[in-house]
Amino acid sequence: MRIFWISALITFFLDRITKALILKSNFTVLKIVSFLNLVKVWNTGIVFGLFSGHREIGKYIWIGVVGFFLGAIFSWARTLKNDRTLKFAIGILFG
């Protein structure tokens, strides 16, 4: 399970760091290579759109949904015995 937690933590922290860097940067479109652009947009997400009339209860419903799926992913990873590559990949999904 160590490879699962390592990949999950690396993914989580890379996500947080890149989001913080993008929020502090001053660009709208950043051309990385000829076929890949990074575009800064604000996405209010499904929580605000799906339950717009019931914002508070919708937030708790989505916390429950995310918690359920994280628990399912963690349970799946625990059932794997010797497949380190799959544990690594599931850790990325979890992170």
Side-chain angles (χ1 to χ4, degrees):
M1 286 298 289
R2 185 169 48 188
I3 192 75
F4 169 82
W5 287 115
I6 290 171
S7 63
L9 288 172
I10 289 171
T11 302
F12 176 79
F13 285 115
L14 281 176
D15 179 61
R16 295 280 101 195
I17 290 167
T18 55
K19 284 180 182 174
L21 290 173
I22 288 171
L23 287 175
K24 289 183 179 186
S25 66
N26 191 19
F27 74 89
T28 305
V29 178
L30 178 64
K31 188 171 186 168
I32 298 173
V33 290
S34 64
F35 58 88
L36 179 63
N37 295 333
L38 185 61
V39 180
K40 187 191 299 186
V41 296
W42 293 102
N43 182 0
T44 55
I46 192 169
V47 173
F48 302 106
L50 187 62
F51 297 108
S52 60
H54 308 286
R55 184 167 279 177
E56 196 64 30
I57 191 71
K59 181 170 53 172
Y60 294 114
I61 289 171
W62 280 113
I63 289 171
V65 169
V66 169
F68 171 79
F69 281 106
L70 286 177
I73 292 168
F74 180 71
S75 296
W76 179 27
R78 288 186 60 185
T79 64
L80 303 173
K81 299 294 180 211
N82 297 321
D83 196 344
R84 292 175 51 86
T85 305
L86 188 54
K87 280 186 181 181
F88 182 80
I90 295 171
I92 292 173
L93 180 64
F94 190 85

